[in-house]
Amino acid sequence: MNSNMKSTIKNELQAVKNTVYIQLYLDEKNSHEALEMIAFTQEIADLHDLIHLEVLDQYDLTQSNNPYQVERTPAIILLNKNKEFLGVKYYGLPAGYEIRSFIQGIIAMSEDKLTISPNVLTRIESINQPVTLKVFITLGCPHCPQAVHNAHKIAMLNKNITAEMIDAQLFADYSSQYQVSGVPKIIINEQFDLLGNVPLTRMLDEIEKL
C-alpha cells in the first residue's frame, strides 16, 4: 500500500472499538502468495493498536484440531475481542477493491452491537440451521466488496451462519466447480445461487427457502 492509502485506511480504522484478531492460515510461509499475505495483513495490523495478527504457517487442513473448518489456504479468519469465531472467512488476499470488505469486516467485528434494522435482525436471528454463504469475487470487481460485507454481516449476527469470500481467480478449480462466470456469485448451502451485488435482504430471501 502506498502512503496515501495507508493514511486513508488508518483514518477509517479509528472506528475500531475493541480488539480484533486476524488469523492468517498458510500452507508454506515462504511462497510468493504467503509472503504477500503476511505483508498485507501486517500492514493493516500496524495501523491500529487493537488489531492483532497471528500467522499459522505450515497449517495442516487435515488435522483434527480445525475449529473454524478452514478448507483451503491462504485464508484469513477474523475473531472478536473474546477470540470468538463469528463466521467470517476470506480465502485469498482481500486486496484491490476487496480491501473495502476487509476494513469493513474488521470494524464490524470490533463492534459491541452491529447497526441493523430490527425487522432484518429478527429475520437473521430466526435462522436455526447451519448455513454457508460462499461469495466468489475478483480483486478488480467494484461490486464485490458490498456483497462480501453483507454476507459477513449476516454471519456475525447468527452463529449458525458462516460467510466466505473466495478469490475466484486464485481458486480457479473451485470456481469451475460452481460454474462461476460472473462475480460476485453467491452460493447458499449448495442449493441456491445469486449473481451480482444483491441486497442483504435478498440473501435472506434465499436462506429462508432452505
Side-chain angles (χ1 to χ4, degrees):
M1 293 185 289
N2 61 39
S3 57
N4 287 338
M5 180 176 287
K6 281 186 180 180
S7 178
T8 298
I9 292 173
K10 185 171 184 176
N11 287 336
E12 292 177 1
L13 289 174
Q14 295 310 302
V16 169
K17 294 181 173 62
N18 294 293
T19 299
V20 176
Y21 295 91
I22 301 172
Q23 287 196 343
L24 176 57
Y25 293 79
L26 305 168
D27 52 4
E28 56 176 302
K29 199 170 184 178
N30 296 319
S31 71
H32 173 74
E33 288 173 356
L35 292 172
E36 190 175 31
M37 291 284 284
I38 293 169
F40 173 82
T41 49
Q42 188 63 64
E43 279 187 303
I44 297 294
D46 287 344
L47 295 176
H48 201 293
D49 291 341
L50 290 176
I51 302 173
H52 301 286
L53 173 64
E54 300 175 352
V55 180
L56 291 81
D57 59 305
Q58 299 296 330
Y59 189 74
D60 180 4
L61 297 183
T62 64
Q63 66 180 325
S64 57
N65 183 24
N66 186 359
Y68 312 133
Q69 297 181 320
V70 176
E71 297 174 344
R72 55 193 52 81
T73 55
I76 293 172
I77 301 291
L78 295 184
L79 306 176
N80 69 8
K81 63 182 179 181
N82 299 318
K83 277 203 162 182
E84 293 175 313
F85 174 60
L86 299 182
V88 175
K89 299 180 182 181
Y90 298 82
Y91 287 123
L93 180 71
Y97 282 107
E98 209 53 49
I99 196 171
R100 305 291 346 125
S101 76
F102 192 51
I103 300 305
Q104 288 175 318
I106 290 171
I107 294 171
M109 189 63 70
S110 81
E111 298 275 0
D112 290 313
K113 186 176 182 180
L114 292 179
T115 302
I116 195 165
S117 75
N119 288 343
V120 173
L121 179 59
T122 297
R123 291 179 67 186
I124 294 172
E125 290 179 338
S126 297
I127 298 165
N128 58 8
Q129 62 177 305
V131 175
T132 300
L133 304 172
K134 302 179 188 294
V135 185
F136 287 88
I137 61 94
T138 60
L139 302 185
C141 166
H143 306 292
C144 292
Q146 190 58 50
V148 170
H149 184 56
N150 285 342
H152 281 162
K153 195 169 187 179
I154 293 171
M156 289 185 212
L157 292 167
N158 187 318
K159 291 190 176 181
N160 290 315
I161 302 169
T162 299
E164 307 169 349
M165 180 215 85
I166 303 167
D167 184 336
Q169 294 176 324
L170 179 60
F171 299 102
D173 290 345
Y174 201 47
S175 300
S176 296
Q177 179 183 333
Y178 288 98
Q179 299 178 327
V180 177
S181 57
V183 291
K185 183 168 185 176
I186 305 154
I187 308 295
I188 302 170
N189 270 24
E190 317 291 327
Q191 296 183 44
F192 303 110
D193 63 82
L194 295 167
L195 184 61
N197 179 20
V198 299
L200 184 151
T201 51
R202 181 74 178 88
M203 293 186 192
L204 291 178
D205 290 343
E206 297 303 309
I207 293 171
E208 288 165 347
K209 293 176 183 178
L210 295 169

